[in-house]
């Protein structure tokens, strides 16, 4: 009896529908991008970002705009390249304004996850370095950014640190090490009693000074 061989499915043909679906999604994402892009620059500029924020019914200073930039892995504040836009919106499965609006609460949940938040926190610092070879944030910018990204979760710590930063005269800028260690401070140190703060450990001097200032305030109150 002749052997009947089973016909194997053509892997190229079987993948065609999925490929077409992805291509269509990218086309819609690109069309969405074009509605905000500056054609002469080939990217979305600050004016386009403002328009996007208006259409999303969020302020351009809203933390969700920063989260969106994080999702796109955007490199320059106030600008989104087409590749960055594709990266972020493909990941969010948002190829229209309506879908992007719907995904914003999900994006907030994603950022709030412990394994993502530290990355977002570090990204926010780098994203605000707007000059070439800039490594530090001025105190005013750092205060605004701290309140934006940490104010909700660590309100007391952030308010106190901002008050200290505006009071002190020694530091004009904040660097990445100080920035990341303040987040560690918020996570690890009992506040406001500071019982487990040990200035013999490897904390930046600015945090040692902050704690000294807080202790002086509490004893003189």
């Amino acid at each position: 009896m002749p052997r009947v061989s089973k016909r194997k499915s053509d892997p190229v043909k079987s993948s065609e529908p999925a490929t077409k679906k992805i291509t269509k999604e990218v086309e819609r994402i690109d069309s969405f991008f074009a509605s905000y892009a500056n054609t002469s620059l080939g990217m979305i500029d600050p004016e386009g970002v403002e328009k996007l924020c208006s259409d999303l019914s969020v302020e351009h200073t809203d933390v969700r705009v920063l989260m969106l930039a994080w999702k796109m892995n955007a490199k320059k504040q106030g600008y989104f390249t087409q590749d960055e836009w594709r990266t972020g919106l493909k990941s969010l499965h948002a190829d229209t304004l309506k879908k992007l609006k719907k995904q914003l609460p999900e994006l907030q949940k994603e950022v709030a996850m412990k394994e993502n938040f530290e990355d977002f926190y570090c990204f926010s610092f780098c994203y605000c370095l707007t000059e070439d070879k800039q490594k530090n944030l001025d105190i005013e910018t750092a205060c605004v950014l701290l309140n934006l990204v940490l104010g909700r979760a660590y309100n007391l710590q952030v308010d106190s640190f901002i008050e200290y930063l505006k009071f002190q005269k020694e530091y004009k800028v904040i660097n990445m090490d100080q920035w990341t260690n303040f987040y560690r401070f918020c996570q690890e140190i009992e506040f406001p009693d500071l019982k487990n703060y040990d200035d013999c450990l490897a904390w930046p001097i600015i945090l040692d000074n902050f704690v000294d200032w807080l202790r002086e305030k509490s004893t003189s109150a």
Side-chain angles (χ1 to χ4, degrees):
M1 190 172 180
R3 192 175 173 185
V4 179
S5 60
K6 290 185 179 179
R7 187 177 174 184
K8 292 182 179 178
S9 60
D10 186 338
V12 176
K13 285 185 178 180
S14 63
S15 66
E16 277 180 2
T19 305
K20 283 181 180 178
K21 186 177 180 181
I22 291 168
T23 304
K24 286 290 184 185
E25 182 186 34
V26 172
E27 284 176 3
R28 289 192 295 270
I29 287 171
D30 286 350
S31 177
F32 189 17
F33 172 84
S35 62
Y36 298 102
N38 179 321
T39 51
S40 61
L41 293 176
M43 64 175 68
I44 297 173
D45 63 5
E47 189 177 330
V49 173
E50 286 269 12
K51 184 175 183 294
L52 175 65
C53 291
S54 176
D55 291 347
L56 289 170
S57 302
V58 299
E59 295 291 329
H60 71 280
T61 53
D62 193 297
V63 71
R64 289 171 292 181
V65 180
L66 189 58
M67 290 174 178
L68 193 56
W70 170 77
K71 194 65 175 174
M72 294 184 193
N73 196 23
K75 298 294 186 289
K76 187 177 180 182
Q77 190 181 70
Y79 294 84
F80 298 142
T81 67
Q82 189 162 8
D83 283 344
E84 290 167 353
W85 182 266
R86 281 178 180 173
T87 296
L89 270 66
K90 276 174 73 177
S91 181
L92 289 168
H93 303 292
D95 53 20
T96 64
L97 181 67
K98 185 178 179 181
K99 288 180 183 176
L100 183 55
K101 269 187 178 182
K102 192 175 179 180
Q103 284 300 317
L104 287 181
E106 297 305 313
L107 178 58
Q108 286 178 279
K109 289 177 187 175
E110 182 183 349
V111 170
M113 293 169 70
K114 191 173 181 180
E115 61 268 31
N116 293 329
F117 187 80
E118 189 168 352
D119 185 65
F120 168 71
Y121 180 75
C122 292
F123 168 86
S124 68
F125 181 93
C126 296
Y127 189 61
C128 289
L129 300 175
T130 54
E131 304 296 328
D132 289 342
K133 297 182 180 179
Q134 183 182 349
K135 293 183 179 179
N136 306 312
L137 288 179
D138 63 86
I139 293 295
E140 186 180 351
T141 301
C143 288
V144 172
L145 192 59
L146 278 169
N147 193 47
L148 187 67
V149 298
L150 277 187
R152 181 174 291 185
Y154 298 102
N155 182 257
L156 286 176
Q157 293 93 322
V158 169
D159 283 354
S160 296
F161 192 48
I162 287 174
E163 185 185 350
Y164 167 72
L165 289 174
K166 290 180 177 179
F167 165 81
Q168 60 80 41
K169 303 299 180 189
E170 186 177 352
Y171 296 92
K172 304 296 182 188
V173 296
I174 295 288
N175 62 36
M176 176 63 99
D177 182 61
Q178 294 162 339
W179 178 261
T180 53
N181 271 284
F182 178 66
Y183 177 52
R184 183 166 72 91
F185 174 93
C186 290
Q187 291 179 297
E188 296 179 8
I189 302 303
E190 294 174 26
F191 200 88
D193 58 47
L194 308 166
K195 282 191 296 187
N196 63 334
Y197 187 86
D198 184 350
D199 55 13
C200 293
L201 297 179
W203 292 104
I205 294 172
I206 193 172
L207 290 178
D208 288 341
N209 294 347
F210 170 52
V211 168
D212 289 343
W213 176 78
L214 284 170
R215 286 172 174 161
E216 282 178 24
K217 272 187 73 177
S218 65
T219 55
S220 61

